[in-house]
Amino acid sequence: MDEKLAKLMEYLQMETEIPFEEFKSYYSGVIELLNKEYNEMDQSTLLKAKYICSIVQANAESRSHRSKINGKHFKKMASKCGFWSDAIDFRLKKEGLSQDEIDAAMSQFNKQSEE
């Protein structure tokens, strides 16, 4: 997940949007990683995954409204990222983290992305 987070931070620094195929490839890699390794992820990795899913979800939702050609694809991506974000939230809370702690971690990632 570290590699995916590093790539996301790189994307967030860009002035232009990445092309659909690159977005789709990144999204697919994240989902594949979650499908394979979710059960073995520790809290730190889960927090990274939640941040990635929330950013990809927001971007996919935004793009779904602007893209006539790929709108349905973006909506599907946003939905799946929302599912994973909720699942990660549920698990983190089950493991003892409060919503405030989760939110604080997300804020920290946002600060890192702005640097």
Side-chain angles (χ1 to χ4, degrees):
M1 205 50 73
D2 288 332
E3 184 182 309
K4 297 293 182 194
L5 181 61
K7 190 66 177 172
L8 179 68
M9 294 300 186
E10 183 183 313
Y11 287 147
L12 292 174
Q13 298 301 316
M14 294 172 65
E15 296 292 322
T16 58
E17 280 190 352
I18 60 173
F20 173 75
E21 287 305 321
E22 188 173 350
F23 188 97
K24 183 179 173 185
S25 174
Y26 177 81
Y27 156 83
S28 296
V30 170
I31 298 301
E32 184 179 321
L33 199 58
L34 284 166
N35 283 329
K36 283 183 184 174
E37 300 179 13
Y38 176 73
N39 291 327
E40 289 77 40
M41 290 180 177
D42 61 14
Q43 285 186 350
S44 172
T45 306
L46 286 168
L47 288 166
K48 291 172 189 171
K50 177 170 173 52
Y51 180 72
I52 291 167
C53 285
S54 68
I55 296 297
V56 173
Q57 178 183 9
N59 275 276
E61 283 175 359
S62 172
R63 288 178 174 216
S64 74
H65 300 295
R66 292 176 296 164
S67 174
K68 292 188 188 308
I69 298 168
N70 295 310
K72 286 183 182 178
H73 294 291
F74 283 124
K75 282 182 184 175
K76 197 173 191 178
M77 290 179 207
S79 176
K80 191 162 273 192
C81 284
F83 164 81
W84 275 108
S85 186
D86 291 346
I88 293 166
D89 235 16
F90 179 81
R91 181 169 158 199
L92 288 169
K93 288 175 185 172
K94 189 176 167 187
E95 292 179 3
L97 286 184
S98 69
Q99 188 62 54
D100 287 344
E101 290 170 316
I102 295 168
D103 292 344
M106 296 304 107
S107 292
Q108 192 61 40
F109 288 123
N110 278 328
K111 286 179 188 169
Q112 288 174 8
S113 74
E114 294 167 0
E115 292 175 356

